[in-house]
Amino acid sequence: MIKLDPKVPDGPLAEKWNKYKSSQDLVNPANKRKLDIIIVGTGLAGASAAASLGEMGFKVKVFGIHESPRRAHSIAAQGGINAAKNYPNDGDSIYRLFYDTVKGGDYRSREANVYRLAEVSNNIIDQCVAQGVPFAREYGGMLANRSFGGALVSRTFYARGQTGQQLLLGAYSAFMKEINRGNVTFYPKREMLDLVMIDGKARGIITRELNTGKIERHSAHAVVIATGGYGNVFFLSTNAMNSNGSAVWQCYKRGAAFANPCFTQIHPTCIPVHGEYQSKLTLMSESLRNDGRIWVPKKKEDAQRIQKGELKPTEIPEEDRDYYLERRYPAFGNLVPRDVASRAAKERCDAGYGVGNTGLAVYLDFADAIKRLGKSVIEARYGNLFQMYEKIVDDNPYETPMMIYPAVHYTMGGTWVDYELQTTIPGLFATGEANFSDHGANRLGASALMQGLSDGYFVLPYTLQNYLADQINVPRFSTDLPEFDTVEKDVKSRIDKIMNVKGDKTVDTFHRRLGHVMWDYVGMGRNEEGIRKALSEIKEIKEDFWKNVRIPGHPEDVNLELEKALRVADYLELGELMALDALDRKESCGGHFREEYQTPEGEALRNDKDYTFVSVWEYKGDGEAPALHKEPLNFEFIEVKQRSYK
Amino acid sequence: MNFTLKIWRQENPNAKGGFETYQLSDISADASFLEMLDILNEQLVMEGKVPVAFDHDCREGICGTCSLYINGRPHGPDSGITVCQMHMRNFKDGSTITIEPWRARAFPVIKDLMVDRQAFEKIIMAGGYISVNTGNAIDANSIPIPKQAAETAMDAAACIGCGACVAACKNASAMLFVSAKVSQFAVLPQGKIEAKRRVKNMVSRMDELGFGNCTNTYACEAECPKNISVSHIARMNREFFISKVTSPKKEV
Ligand SMILES: Cc1cc2nc3c(=O)[nH]c(=O)nc-3n(C[C@H](O)[C@H](O)[C@H](O)COP(=O)(O)OP(=O)(O)OC[C@H]3O[C@@H](n4cnc5c(N)ncnc54)[C@H](O)[C@@H]3O)c2cc1C
Ligand code: FES
């Protein structure tokens, strides 16, 4: 039976983190050298932690799927990173960033964690600039800002449309510096397949070397999971192809409870799906909503003619356009949070006003902005995004409005962690998108990068040290221990089992089927009947998978089909947990929209009386129903209100 | 659309390798190049064959993982983009497409179209950073940086480390890659402090790793999916020269 102790320090909100830092246990430099830390993942969360812990003198072993840490999925983040610097002098503050994040998350996150995030946000920007991250600047040489959804201030720092790339390259360079100094070792092309525990504590991992298929054992005093989100359960998402949920899932099966699995973010501005062969979806950054206006035709006939290709958007006069976000949410307009914008797009398309040949798209129009600012300004701001769009859609967004539609983008749910980012397994920590911590039921734009770097640079170095402080007399672990034998055997038998199905369907066939079910029933709109249907269909797909999947080649070789199959096997189980969680949460909040629970105007209807808690799921064994635990959320510092962006 | 594909197949780093020919039909012009390869691989799996191994991840031109040499050009016929951003509408229906891995001594083939580019990591390790530890930073706006310098740094920092420059170069030189990093830091005040050491260490590591010399043919710039300019090479040469003539003999 797991114990849920969030370990939030007491005292006033603004003093909690300082209080923690000044009373935590420390490890002296001579002892740091004797302590090993495993970090899985080299995205912002993993790379920043590796650099910081290496600098402190710990021995750090880092694992990643790619040959280079710089290829982690964080590299793809486009729009920006938030911080409460208040450089534009528009009234921002740590409290306001904290408040916006809690409200944006629809009051389903832990206050103390979010406050800490806002508190260290400013240090992140300082750190990145010191590393040489080339953020956008004003002519006076000061840092520039833009706005993102869910905020009335400009607090987003950016490096063209490649913010994630630049932040990751910053963290990566600090990490490479530590490899050069000898404290950090990088193990490239290693996929973690399981977690090893000794006496109830996380002490190692089992990996597969992807170039040779070799199964390896690695030990440490503590393990950090920074493996990113699980949005690829849906097959089509904006995540990179190798993003996966397997590390998190294997930890879950070893006892690390999983929080809020159904909280998925569907991003409103992505390039619409165009064919069944499609392998992924491309995001058009939220920053575009600073200057782009979203609309659909006011008249259904116009929409139908557009769908048939008989009418162009530029031929529709101003008075026949419905700028539905500006109409419904005058205060925030095109900058409402993502969940709200996505649902509004779906609502218009479901009502028959969608555009594009499928009717599943809306316009994001820059004509006004180009008229107001000139093409060159728009090009300087969004040039690479416009190019990306043009290459994919074969249409020039400077001349015709972009077509966009919501797509799966981010998972707020993840491994449950306490204030110290420790999971329910002692010695196992989870950071970045892999944990559930800060975004509640909906993440605000530009806050994931902030969270990943906050966890890695500024939180974990303290909290992990606090954990290790009483382990200084624990010698390094041998990987010959029986605990490693057992887990390695489990991994090998899992691989054998999957290789030996020798069926007649490709891995992608199953993944695509699962994706359709998840999108239709556990996607943007959910209801009890649909979710139940999803549960039974996932079960069928799972059975079919284990009877009919085909993986050619050998496991002791580069085997991309095997890599995919192991991940899809986990998605099939994880998808089921997401559906169960969605079924259990009988309210609408953030990205979780239960159609049964909405206001007369179609807005999400929370049920604070019964659902102000984190759903924490505990694995109970193969084929057993997982157990649901609840971490109550106490709002001491914020008044919980109906979220309004009108 | 229909295509004949001539693809390099090589079982492992030590195997000899050679071209195999495949036919593909009914490919949508809107499919991306990698989606076309996905379709081929699905077909191969269904025929009980081993699919073609190729590297990819983000599929939107930013992670630098994809690395195909198509009809004699890194990242294929279109310029300013990676192969994952290319769509089949860029090819003539019925044409033959030849697909090979990057070829360079420093990038050995792992399998089929996958190569090992860890030599790049080793160059960065030698000095591709500013030595600042977490927690030591001063307020970000206390270092004003002229907009132009920030833009130049960003132009250089846009490099995705894919290695197309090396694959395009007849000498398999890594000068464009290295100079982009050197340049990014050389134009920023934060980076100037270590500039001399950085350029020296990175260049000598590059030489050790078996990359060739730059003979100014500029194929790298022409094939770079991020349009990184060879002017960075000129800046690096300058930096390198200064570091040679002004550095003390012994590192302190
Ligand atoms: C297209 C796109 C644009 C975005 N734009 C923004 C933005 O503008 N602002 C913002 O704040 N957020 C943005 N996000 C979200 C943000 O990028 C991510 O949430 C964040 O980068 C996640 O970082 P991470 O370090 O937690 O994980 P990741 O960057 O996903 O890294 C995961 C790491 O784990 C490794 N890994 C995974 N599984 C295993 C395993 N089993 N074994 C070994 N290694 C493993 C991977 O190799 C990788 O190194 C965007 C996301 C997308 C998809
Ligand atoms: S797959 Fe990432 S750049 Fe091509």
Side-chain angles (χ1 to χ4, degrees):
Chain A
M1 187 50 200
I2 56 167
K3 204 175 96 244
L4 290 182
D5 178 5
K7 290 200 254 165
V8 175
D10 43 45
L13 189 60
E15 286 162 32
K16 287 182 195 290
W17 182 229
N18 274 331
K19 189 172 159 197
Y20 178 91
K21 286 193 292 184
S22 49
S23 56
Q24 65 155 127
D25 291 332
L26 298 175
V27 180
N28 89 16
N31 284 329
K32 284 191 185 125
R33 282 197 288 280
K34 297 189 210 148
L35 294 167
D36 296 339
I37 299 167
I38 283 176
I39 298 180
V40 189
T42 68
L44 289 181
S48 57
S52 309
L53 292 162
E55 287 161 6
M56 292 163 77
F58 292 104
K59 289 289 174 199
V60 188
K61 308 177 190 179
V62 187
F63 298 81
I65 290 175
H66 304 88
E67 81 204 311
S68 164
R70 67 181 291 161
R71 308 211 194 284
H73 168 58
S74 293
I75 202 89
Q78 303 171 347
I81 176 166
N82 288 331
K85 283 281 193 190
N86 192 30
Y87 285 154
N89 195 24
D90 55 3
D92 203 6
S93 63
I94 290 172
Y95 184 84
R96 194 177 283 273
L97 174 55
F98 154 72
Y99 179 83
D100 286 350
T101 308
V102 172
K103 175 185 171 194
D106 221 353
Y107 305 94
R108 291 293 174 264
S109 46
R110 200 188 283 145
E111 273 185 333
N113 284 58
V114 180
Y115 193 86
R116 175 178 64 191
L117 175 67
E119 205 176 336
V120 303
S121 67
N122 294 338
N123 305 57
I124 296 173
I125 302 303
D126 300 341
Q127 186 63 32
C128 296
V129 167
Q131 290 166 344
V133 169
F135 283 122
R137 303 252 162 193
E138 307 290 355
Y139 281 105
M142 299 293 140
L143 290 159
N145 287 112
R146 54 168 60 141
S147 304
F148 260 53
L152 294 171
V153 295
S154 269
R155 61 161 73 101
T156 307
F157 295 79
Y158 62 99
R160 296 198 188 141
Q162 292 122 278
T163 315
Q165 179 196 28
Q166 294 311 317
L167 296 175
L168 183 58
L169 291 181
Y172 155 81
S173 66
F175 169 21
M176 297 307 271
K177 158 177 77 68
E178 289 310 302
I179 298 182
N180 202 38
R181 279 206 330 150
N183 279 345
V184 178
T185 313
F186 177 54
Y187 294 81
K189 292 259 184 163
R190 300 299 200 290
E191 182 148 352
M192 168 182 167
L193 294 181
D194 217 328
L195 177 76
V196 181
M197 285 161 60
I198 299 175
D199 294 335
K201 294 194 170 77
R203 297 295 193 193
I205 60 172
I206 304 292
T207 60
R208 180 167 177 274
E209 208 278 342
L210 301 176
N211 287 349
T212 58
K214 201 167 155 253
I215 304 296
E216 303 168 329
R217 310 168 174 198
H218 304 276
S219 67
H221 292 86
V223 176
V224 180
I225 301 296
T227 51
Y230 52 89
N232 276 346
V233 168
F234 289 82
F235 187 69
L236 288 182
S237 84
T238 61
N239 289 9
M241 304 297 285
N242 283 312
S243 297
N244 69 90
S246 285
V248 166
W249 191 249
Q250 293 305 327
C251 291
Y252 166 73
K253 291 174 94 172
R254 295 274 170 206
F258 205 117
N260 297 333
C262 83
F263 286 172
T264 313
Q265 176 161 84
I266 315 262
H267 196 296
T269 55
C270 303
I271 299 179
V273 178
H274 51 81
E276 187 59 25
Y277 52 82
Q278 201 160 348
S279 57
K280 76 158 291 196
L281 295 172
T282 304
L283 174 76
M284 287 287 105
S285 166
E286 176 159 317
S287 59
L288 293 169
R289 290 199 268 143
N290 271 284
D291 290 305
R293 297 178 68 197
I294 295 178
W295 63 275
V296 291
K298 239 181 218 164
K299 301 186 195 144
K300 225 181 238 174
E301 313 83 80
D302 285 353
Q304 281 157 357
R305 287 185 58 211
I306 285 180
Q307 290 165 19
K308 288 193 207 123
E310 295 165 6
L311 191 68
K312 290 202 189 92
T314 41
E315 291 165 359
I316 298 185
E318 199 54 38
E319 63 275 15
D320 290 340
R321 301 176 176 195
D322 176 15
Y323 295 91
Y324 57 87
L325 289 178
E326 297 169 28
R327 167 172 60 79
R328 284 178 67 177
Y329 309 101
F332 281 70
N334 291 296
L335 283 171
V336 289
R338 293 176 176 175
D339 53 336
V340 178
S342 289
R343 267 197 303 279
K346 179 177 190 292
E347 186 277 330
R348 280 294 79 191
C349 293
D350 289 351
Y353 295 90
V355 298
N357 53 5
T358 56
L360 290 176
V362 301
Y363 290 124
L364 177 61
D365 197 336
F366 292 87
D368 277 357
I370 291 174
K371 218 182 294 157
R372 183 163 40 98
L373 304 162
K375 189 180 160 193
S376 60
V377 173
I378 295 301
E379 197 172 345
R381 282 185 193 165
Y382 315 110
N384 73 317
L385 297 169
F386 277 44
Q387 183 218 31
M388 224 147 106
Y389 180 87
E390 184 166 2
K391 290 292 171 192
I392 295 174
V393 184
D394 202 18
D395 198 14
N396 180 350
Y398 293 101
E399 279 154 24
T400 15
M402 275 186 185
M403 280 190 291
I404 50 159
Y405 198 67
V408 173
H409 179 60
Y410 182 89
T411 46
M412 280 75 69
T415 304
W416 184 87
V417 289
D418 60 21
Y419 189 71
E420 297 188 296
L421 306 181
Q422 187 161 208
T423 69
T424 51
I425 296 178
L428 180 70
F429 292 75
T431 60
E433 193 173 338
N435 74 25
F436 90 106
S437 65
D438 299 344
H439 309 292
N442 173 60
R443 174 174 71 79
L444 290 184
S447 286
L449 301 182
M450 170 170 74
Q451 184 224 332
L453 290 181
S454 153
D455 289 358
Y457 284 135
F458 297 109
V459 180
L460 202 59
Y462 293 94
T463 61
L464 189 53
Q465 180 166 199
N466 188 47
Y467 171 76
L468 289 173
D470 68 1
Q471 315 255 324
I472 50 175
N473 294 320
V474 179
R476 297 205 146 90
F477 291 89
S478 156
T479 52
D480 293 332
L481 291 169
E483 285 85 349
F484 279 90
D485 289 342
T486 316
V487 181
E488 186 185 283
K489 219 182 276 155
D490 284 355
V491 166
K492 286 187 167 158
S493 69
R494 225 159 72 215
I495 293 176
D496 279 350
K497 186 175 165 203
I498 222 165
M499 289 299 298
N500 282 322
V501 176
K502 295 197 177 11
D504 57 5
K505 290 183 195 155
T506 63
V507 179
D508 280 357
T509 347
F510 296 100
H511 196 179
R512 228 178 245 124
R513 263 168 73 195
L514 173 68
H516 279 305
V517 170
M518 295 303 290
W519 178 250
D520 289 345
Y521 304 117
V522 197
M524 249 188 299
R526 307 161 170 187
N527 59 56
E528 175 158 352
E529 196 193 329
I531 300 170
R532 288 196 188 282
K533 197 151 175 226
L535 281 166
S536 82
E537 289 191 14
I538 295 169
K539 206 161 148 244
E540 279 167 32
I541 303 171
K542 201 179 353 179
E543 278 165 18
D544 194 13
F545 177 86
W546 286 106
K547 274 197 210 118
N548 292 313
V549 70
R550 169 185 289 182
I551 302 157
H554 305 284
E556 289 93 28
D557 187 7
V558 174
N559 193 328
L560 303 167
E561 292 297 304
L562 173 62
E563 289 170 29
K564 284 196 282 187
L566 289 167
R567 296 173 193 164
V568 171
D570 291 340
Y571 287 147
L572 286 163
E573 299 177 0
L574 174 50
E576 198 173 345
L577 187 70
M578 291 165 73
L580 276 180
D581 188 43
L583 187 64
D584 182 78
R585 193 168 276 276
K586 295 187 180 58
E587 65 163 348
S588 294
C589 59
H592 171 65
F593 191 70
R594 279 284 299 261
E595 284 154 0
E596 303 95 317
Y597 310 101
Q598 49 180 307
T599 64
E601 303 90 53
E603 305 293 341
L605 187 61
R606 274 195 340 255
N607 176 350
D608 291 331
K609 191 165 114 323
D610 300 316
Y611 289 94
T612 310
F613 61 77
V614 179
S615 304
V616 190
W617 295 88
E618 181 191 7
Y619 183 68
K620 286 289 187 189
D622 197 17
E624 303 290 318
L628 174 64
H629 305 272
K630 298 173 183 176
E631 180 200 334
L633 293 167
N634 306 313
F635 290 91
E636 285 178 62
F637 304 96
I638 277 187
E639 185 200 345
V640 178
K641 287 197 261 196
Q642 184 65 34
R643 210 161 53 127
S644 165
Y645 293 95
K646 295 188 193 281
Chain B
M1 300 174 87
N2 303 324
F3 299 101
T4 304
L5 304 173
K6 272 182 65 188
I7 300 182
W8 183 263
R9 302 295 309 255
Q10 179 174 338
E11 242 174 75
N12 58 56
N14 305 316
K16 192 149 162 289
F19 285 101
E20 298 258 349
T21 305
Y22 306 95
Q23 302 297 335
L24 263 192
S25 44
D26 279 338
I27 300 292
S28 158
D30 289 331
S32 75
F33 195 85
L34 299 188
E35 283 163 354
M36 181 276 293
L37 287 180
D38 292 342
I39 295 170
L40 170 71
N41 276 344
E42 291 267 298
Q43 208 169 291
L44 291 175
V45 174
M46 290 320 291
E47 291 166 10
K49 297 189 182 136
V50 176
V52 180
F54 65 95
D55 259 326
H56 64 97
D57 196 18
C58 72
R59 296 203 173 190
E60 51 189 59
I62 194 74
C63 71
T65 310
C66 61
S67 47
L68 301 177
Y69 198 77
I70 301 164
N71 292 342
R73 290 184 66 181
H75 293 303
D78 206 351
S79 50
I81 55 168
T82 52
V83 54
C84 61
Q85 292 179 285
M86 194 166 49
H87 286 72
M88 296 317 291
R89 61 179 95 91
N90 283 302
F91 294 87
K92 270 232 299 285
D93 190 14
S95 59
T96 299
I97 306 174
T98 308
I99 312 172
E100 297 169 77
W102 280 178
R103 302 215 190 258
R105 189 147 62 97
F107 292 163
V109 171
I110 297 167
K111 187 187 172 91
D112 297 340
L113 304 169
M114 293 166 80
V115 297
D116 182 347
R117 286 166 285 185
Q118 283 180 54
F120 270 6
E121 306 314 298
K122 298 190 177 127
I123 301 177
I124 298 292
M125 232 182 271
Y129 41 75
I130 291 173
S131 302
V132 53
N133 283 3
T134 305
N136 290 343
I138 47 169
D139 181 76
N141 260 351
S142 58
I143 323 172
I145 296 177
K147 191 177 169 75
Q148 192 50 52
E151 294 293 324
T152 308
M154 181 62 217
D155 287 341
C159 167
I160 57 173
C162 65
C165 46
V166 177
C169 176
K170 64 179 168 38
N171 309 321
S173 165
M175 285 292 265
L176 192 63
F177 171 76
V178 180
S179 68
K181 201 35 64 185
V182 166
S183 222
Q184 175 195 346
F185 292 142
V187 299
L188 295 174
Q190 308 94 300
K192 287 216 164 80
I193 300 152
E194 290 171 279
K196 289 182 193 167
R197 222 176 122 217
R198 176 180 308 116
V199 67
K200 245 180 33 202
N201 292 346
M202 289 179 78
V203 170
S204 64
R205 183 68 60 89
M206 168 180 80
D207 292 341
E208 283 160 32
L209 288 164
F211 290 101
N213 287 327
C214 171
T215 49
N216 301 319
T217 45
Y218 302 151
C220 51
E221 180 184 275
E223 298 297 352
C224 173
K226 297 291 142 185
N227 300 321
I228 307 281
S229 154
V230 290
S231 64
H232 298 300
I233 298 183
R235 181 177 286 112
M236 177 163 87
N237 286 337
R238 225 159 39 232
E239 293 280 324
F240 188 70
F241 178 74
I242 298 171
S243 102
K244 274 256 161 147
V245 297
T246 62
S247 296
K249 284 271 172 305
K250 228 172 74 211
E251 181 108 326
V252 279

